[in-house]
């Protein structure tokens, strides 16, 4: 694996929900323009997704609390900045993915292994999540697409738990193909 270049996708889920002061224990989502922008893990578990119409989200999750938030919410920007800075401290190759996610690139070497990367991602989750008070997911793979899918899967049951978030490491090209094969077509959109 020496010299293998990997892409990390890190997303702080529920940051807009936290910024809008969601109610603990109750499914909460944030909407702008009649569409869901973000939701807490409990709402996501009921099928609520970003981009979904508010009416459809309420049908899927009747106790859903929906809060309207302006896209330029300063609190969200501050929380996203903490995430981005933590990634910049890990690697200089970072591409923010608004509102609260980013891609980063790392290269595995004999002196920097998958175990080192895993440890760095755990520290990153501990650093970012206390400030954001939300779950952080990270997916690692050989491409941006696979890394984003791995992060999405990490927010479910497949993720490895760590303090402050969930991680899913998918590094070897053969692992990516085997991991993607059973996913439904909808996961690829």
């Amino acid at each position: 694996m020496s010299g293998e270049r990997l892409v990390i996708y890190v997303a702080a889920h529920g940051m807009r929900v936290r910024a809008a002061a969601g109610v603990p224990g109750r499914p909460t989502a944030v909407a702008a323009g009649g569409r869901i922008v973000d939701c807490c893990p409990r709402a996501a578990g009921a099928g609520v997704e970003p981009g979904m119409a508010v009416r459809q989200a309420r049908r899927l999750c009747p106790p859903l609390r929906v809060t309207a938030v302006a896209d330029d919410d300063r609190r969200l920007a501050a929380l996203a900045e903490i995430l981005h800075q933590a990634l910049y401290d890990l690697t200089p190759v970072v591409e923010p993915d608004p509102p609260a996610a980013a891609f980063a690139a790392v290269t595995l070497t004999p002196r920097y292994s998958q175990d080192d990367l895993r440890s760095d991602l755990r520290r990153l989750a501990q650093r970012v999540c206390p400030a954001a008070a939300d779950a952080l997911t990270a997916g690692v793979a050989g491409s941006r697409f696979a890394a984003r899918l791995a992060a999405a899967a990490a927010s479910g049951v497949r993720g490895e738990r760590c303090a402050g978030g969930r991680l899913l490491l998918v590094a070897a090209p053969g692992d990516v193909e085997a991991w993607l094969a059973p996913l439904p077509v909808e996961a690829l959109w």
Side-chain angles (χ1 to χ4, degrees):
M1 282 216 182
S2 180
E4 182 179 2
R5 189 144 174 104
L6 297 174
V7 177
I8 303 168
Y9 183 74
V10 182
H13 298 283
M15 290 183 95
R16 285 184 187 254
V17 170
R18 186 67 179 162
V23 177
R26 184 171 174 197
T28 307
V30 176
R35 297 257 172 217
I36 300 297
V37 177
D38 202 358
C39 64
C40 70
R42 182 172 280 186
V48 178
E49 299 176 344
M52 179 180 285
V54 171
R55 176 178 248 160
Q56 181 184 4
R58 284 196 167 126
R59 275 195 300 259
L60 289 172
C61 184
L64 184 68
R65 178 176 179 261
V66 179
T67 305
V69 167
D71 285 340
D72 61 347
D73 186 359
R74 290 183 190 160
R75 292 172 292 176
L76 175 63
L79 293 173
E81 183 59 32
I82 293 168
L83 169 63
H84 298 154
Q85 187 56 52
L87 278 170
Y88 279 118
D89 291 347
L90 176 65
T91 177
V93 185
V94 175
E95 180 185 334
D97 185 28
F103 290 96
V106 295
T107 302
L108 298 181
T109 66
R111 298 181 78 190
Y112 189 74
S113 67
Q114 281 189 15
D115 290 337
D116 296 325
L117 176 58
R118 209 180 278 266
S119 295
D120 283 346
L121 289 173
R122 284 190 186 106
R123 281 191 293 278
L124 183 139
Q126 291 168 351
R127 177 178 166 190
V128 173
C129 287
D134 293 298
L136 193 77
T137 57
V140 181
S143 71
R144 290 169 49 110
F145 177 72
R148 186 185 290 245
L149 285 176
S155 65
V157 295
R158 291 183 176 174
E160 167 193 327
R161 281 205 172 278
C162 74
R166 287 186 161 278
L167 305 175
L168 180 63
L169 186 65
V170 180
D175 291 347
V176 173
E177 291 171 8
W179 179 76
L180 288 175
L183 292 179
V185 172
E186 294 82 24
L188 306 177
W189 296 116

